[in-house]
Amino acid sequence: MRYAEKIYHRIIVWLVFLILAVPLAVTLLYALATEWGATIVPDGFTLKWMTALWSDPRFLTALWHSLLICFGSLLFSLVLVLPAMFVIAYYFPKLDAVMNILILLPFAIPPVVSSVGLLQLYSSEPLALTGTPWILIGCYFTIALPFIYRAIANNMQAINLRELIDAAHLLGASTWQAAWLVVLPNLRKGATIAVLLSFSFLIGEFVFANLLVGTSYETLQVYLYNMRNGSGHFTSALVISYFFVVLVVTWLANALNRERG
Amino acid sequence: MRGKGIALLCLLPFVLFYLAFQIAPLVWIAINSFWSDVNQAWGWDNYSDILTSPFYQQAIRLSLDISLWSSLYGLLIALLGGYSLHQLGNGRLHRFFMSFTNMTSNFAGVPLAFAFVILLGLNGCLTLLMRKYGVMDGFRLFSRDGMVVVYTWFQIPLGILLLYPAFDGLKKEWQESAELLGASRWRYWWHIGLPILSPALIGTFVILLANALGAYATIYALTTGNFNVIPVRIAALVSGDISLDPNTGSALAMLLVVLMAIITVIHQWLVRRSYLNAQ
C-alpha cells in the first residue's frame, strides 16, 4: 500500500472513532467536572458527583433491581432454552428450521409493539403481572432468545452432541445421565458467554421496563430517565457508572471467550 | 418411543413461555386493532382513522424520514470507516477499534440521549463551541435534524459490525488489475467494488432501517415523548395521560409490524439472492 493511502485510511478510521467517542468522552468529563457552564473547558475536576451517586440509596436499589432482573431472566432463559435445544438437536433435528424462524420474531417485532399487547393481556386478574418485575423476566426471555440461542447453537455444533451421547450410551449411561453429566458441563462455557453478552443488551432495555413496570420496581434505565431533570453532572456520573458496569461484564465475556480459544 | 414423549415434554415450558410473551401479545394486538371503541363495532375503522388523520400521517412521514436518512448516513460512514479499517489489516488498532465498536453498539436509549444533551443540547459544549466560533447559530437538537444526528450515531456501530465481513469479498488483485488496465479509483469502485458489495450494503441498509423505525427509548428520553414518530404515538396511545385508546394503538402497532414484515421479507430475499450470486 502506498504511504498516502495508508495515511488516508488511518485518518478515516480515527475520524469515525472520534465521532463515536465524543459523546462518551464529554459525558465522562461532565461527570468529573466541578462547574461547566458557559466555558469551553470545565473549571476543575472533582469526584463529588460520583460519590453522591454511589451513596444514593435509590440508585443502589435501581442497580440491584437491574442486576437481579437481568441475571434472573437470563438464568430463566437458560433453564427454558437448554433442554429445548438439547431435545431438538438429539430427537427432532427437523425442528431446527422452526427454531430459526422463532428467533427471528423478537428481532422483527419492536418492544414498543409487543408491550401494547402485554399491557392488556397481563393487567387484569388471572395474570395481573403488570407493575411487577415478573413480567420483565418473561419479556426479557423473548428478546434475549436470539442471542442465547445463537451462542449455544455454536457451542453445540462444536462439541458434536450426537457422538458424545452415543459414547456415553456405550459406557452404560442413560440419555438423561448423558445430558446432565456429559453434555451440560460441555456447554457451560458457551452458556456463560451467552449470558454475559446478552446482559449488556438487557441492562440497556428501557421500553418494557418503563411501560410495563415503571416506578413500582425501578430499574437502572427507568431511574436514569426519572433523573432527567436533575443536575447534568449527576446524570453524567450515572451514565458513566452504567457504562462502566456494562464494560466490566462485556470484558469478562471477552476474556472467557479468548480463554476458550 | 417413550423417550420421545418425555423429550416433547421438555419442549413444553419453552413453547409455553414463547407463546405467552411473544405470540399472544401479537395476536391480541392483531385482533384488537379491528375493534373500534368509538363505534363499538368490528372493522377497519381504526386503520382508516389513522391513515386519514394528518397527525398520524405526520408521525408516519417523520418516522420514515428520520429512519431513511439516518440509515443512509450511518451506512455511508460505516462503509468508509469499515473499509479503511479493513485495508489497514489486523493489528492493535484493528482489535481496539472492533471492541470499541462492539461497546458503543450497546450504548443507545436513555444514556445516549443524555450524552447528546450534554454535547449538543441548548447549552451543550459543542453547541457553545459552535456559537463561539460562529460556525452555526447553535444546533437544534430537538428538531428533525437533531434526531437524524442522534439516530445516525447509533446506526454507525451496527453498520460497521454488519458490513465488515463483506470487505473480505473484495480481492486485492482486482483493484491491482483494474489499475494496470488504466482504471481510475472511481471507475474501480463504480464498476467493481460497489457491485460486489451491493448485496451486503442493501442488506445492512435494510436492517438499519428496521432498527431506526422501531427505536423508541432514545427519542422518548430526548424529547420526553413530544416528538411525533410512530413508536412514540403507540406508547402514548396505550399508556399516555391524555390520549388513551389501546385499540387505535393496536392498529398503529400493526402498521409498524407490517412495515417491519415488508423489510424482513426484502432482507431475506436479498440474502438468498446474494447466496445464489456467490455460488
Side-chain angles (χ1 to χ4, degrees):
Chain A
M1 208 188 312
R2 274 187 302 259
Y3 187 68
E5 215 171 322
K6 211 165 188 164
I7 294 289
Y8 159 80
H9 288 311
R10 270 180 190 275
I11 290 175
I12 292 288
V13 168
W14 283 110
L15 267 179
V16 175
F17 173 75
L18 202 71
I19 293 175
L20 291 179
V22 158
L24 298 173
V26 167
T27 312
L28 179 64
L29 271 183
Y30 218 78
L32 297 175
T34 40
E35 277 302 322
W36 197 0
T39 50
I40 303 304
V41 282
D43 298 339
F45 291 101
T46 171
L47 278 175
K48 80 172 174 196
W49 309 110
M50 281 289 177
T51 43
L53 174 73
W54 283 89
S55 51
D56 175 16
R58 194 171 157 199
F59 163 70
L60 293 173
T61 318
L63 179 63
W64 175 240
H65 285 172
S66 272
L67 291 175
L68 212 60
I69 287 191
C70 289
F71 281 118
S73 48
L74 285 168
L75 283 184
F76 176 70
S77 307
L78 281 185
V79 171
L80 290 182
V81 172
L82 273 175
M85 286 185 71
F86 171 78
V87 163
I88 287 173
Y90 192 66
Y91 290 101
F92 315 102
K94 277 188 187 145
L95 282 182
D96 194 52
V98 181
M99 284 299 278
N100 277 319
I101 297 172
L102 291 191
I103 63 168
L104 262 183
L105 263 189
F107 268 140
I109 311 291
V112 72
V113 169
S114 298
S115 55
V116 176
L118 288 163
L119 257 180
Q120 295 164 58
L121 276 176
Y122 301 115
S123 290
S124 49
E125 237 336 288
L127 283 163
L129 291 174
T130 322
T132 69
W134 302 111
I135 195 165
L136 286 185
I137 292 187
C139 297
Y140 287 2
F141 151 67
T142 59
I143 53 173
L145 180 64
F147 299 92
I148 303 240
Y149 185 86
R150 271 288 125 235
I152 295 176
N154 292 344
N155 199 166
M156 270 194 175
Q157 245 154 27
I159 63 167
N160 225 333
L161 184 99
R162 274 180 168 272
E163 278 172 31
L164 214 56
I165 292 187
D166 289 344
H169 278 162
L170 276 178
L171 293 169
S174 72
T175 308
W176 300 110
Q177 274 175 319
W180 185 252
L181 298 171
V182 181
V183 176
L184 197 63
N186 270 301
L187 292 177
R188 207 179 48 208
K189 261 297 171 42
T192 319
I193 291 166
V195 163
L196 293 181
L197 285 182
S198 347
F199 169 82
S200 55
F201 171 73
L202 285 190
I203 202 172
E205 206 285 326
F206 170 73
V207 186
F208 284 136
N210 190 47
L211 286 178
L212 301 179
V213 179
T215 41
S216 60
Y217 193 82
E218 205 172 45
T219 63
L220 204 52
Q221 295 286 326
V222 178
Y223 171 71
L224 192 55
Y225 177 73
N226 288 335
M227 288 290 120
R228 67 189 178 279
N229 293 326
S231 147
H233 297 285
F234 187 77
T235 49
S236 299
L238 189 47
V239 169
I240 291 300
S241 301
Y242 154 75
F243 204 50
F244 184 72
V245 172
V246 174
L247 208 64
V248 168
V249 176
T250 22
W251 175 79
L252 221 75
N254 281 332
L256 276 173
N257 218 351
R258 243 197 313 281
E259 194 187 315
R260 192 168 58 157
Chain B
M1 255 355 260
R2 208 178 63 91
K4 279 208 170 181
I6 299 175
L8 268 180
L9 263 170
C10 282
L11 277 178
L12 201 63
F14 172 83
V15 173
L16 224 61
F17 274 91
Y18 188 84
L19 282 177
F21 287 97
Q22 186 72 62
I23 306 291
L26 211 57
V27 173
W28 186 263
I29 299 165
I31 295 172
N32 270 299
S33 66
F34 291 106
W35 173 258
S36 166
D37 255 347
V38 188
N39 307 334
Q40 292 289 317
W42 296 94
W44 291 90
D45 296 349
N46 291 325
Y47 289 96
S48 56
D49 282 353
I50 290 170
L51 292 174
T52 51
S53 140
F55 187 53
Y56 290 114
Q57 278 174 5
Q58 187 201 32
I60 295 171
R61 219 172 27 244
L62 262 175
S63 257
L64 288 174
D65 179 39
I66 293 172
S67 305
L68 210 65
W69 287 106
S70 69
S71 305
L72 268 179
Y73 295 143
L75 188 69
L76 190 69
I77 296 172
L79 174 66
L80 286 173
Y83 180 69
S84 287
L85 189 66
H86 188 265
Q87 288 307 94
L88 288 173
N90 273 317
R92 245 202 346 247
L93 178 72
H94 179 265
R95 269 201 308 279
F96 167 74
F97 194 84
M98 273 328 243
S99 37
F100 182 75
T101 315
N102 247 319
M103 218 168 73
T104 42
S105 71
N106 275 320
F107 194 72
V110 190
L112 179 66
F114 280 15
F116 265 93
V117 169
I118 291 164
L119 188 66
L120 283 169
L122 267 178
N123 282 311
C125 40
L126 208 60
T127 317
L128 292 178
L129 204 69
M130 283 194 294
R131 211 176 288 151
K132 185 176 175 193
Y133 291 101
V135 186
M136 213 192 279
D137 205 29
F139 181 75
R140 292 190 48 221
L141 181 61
F142 306 100
S143 66
R144 177 247 173 218
D145 292 341
M147 294 306 132
V148 172
V149 169
V150 179
Y151 273 49
T152 303
W153 192 90
F154 71 64
Q155 302 273 40
I156 297 171
L158 187 62
I160 292 179
L161 292 177
L162 290 171
L163 210 52
Y164 193 75
F167 293 121
D168 287 332
L170 289 178
K171 294 273 182 299
K172 228 185 180 134
E173 296 81 30
W174 296 340
Q175 188 170 5
E176 286 162 2
S177 326
E179 220 165 294
L180 278 177
L181 292 170
S184 69
R185 173 136 313 182
W186 290 112
R187 275 184 77 105
Y188 161 74
W189 272 105
W190 189 246
H191 291 291
I192 303 169
L194 285 178
I196 291 169
L197 286 180
S198 65
L201 280 173
I202 300 171
T204 307
F205 175 73
V206 164
I207 294 182
L208 293 186
L209 201 62
N211 186 41
L213 270 178
Y216 164 73
T218 312
I219 201 164
Y220 178 74
L222 255 180
T223 63
T224 33
N226 285 325
F227 206 81
N228 197 13
V229 289
I230 303 176
V232 168
R233 281 282 74 76
I234 296 175
L237 281 168
V238 290
S239 74
D241 312 318
I242 316 154
S243 54
L244 218 54
D245 183 354
N247 297 83
T248 311
S250 299
L252 200 56
M254 278 314 281
L255 281 182
L256 190 55
V257 169
V258 170
L259 268 177
M260 291 291 192
I262 294 172
I263 288 174
T264 314
V265 167
I266 295 176
H267 178 240
Q268 292 291 321
W269 179 71
L270 285 169
V271 167
R272 214 170 6 251
R273 225 180 60 139
S274 65
Y275 277 139
L276 289 178
N277 283 346
Q279 271 167 10

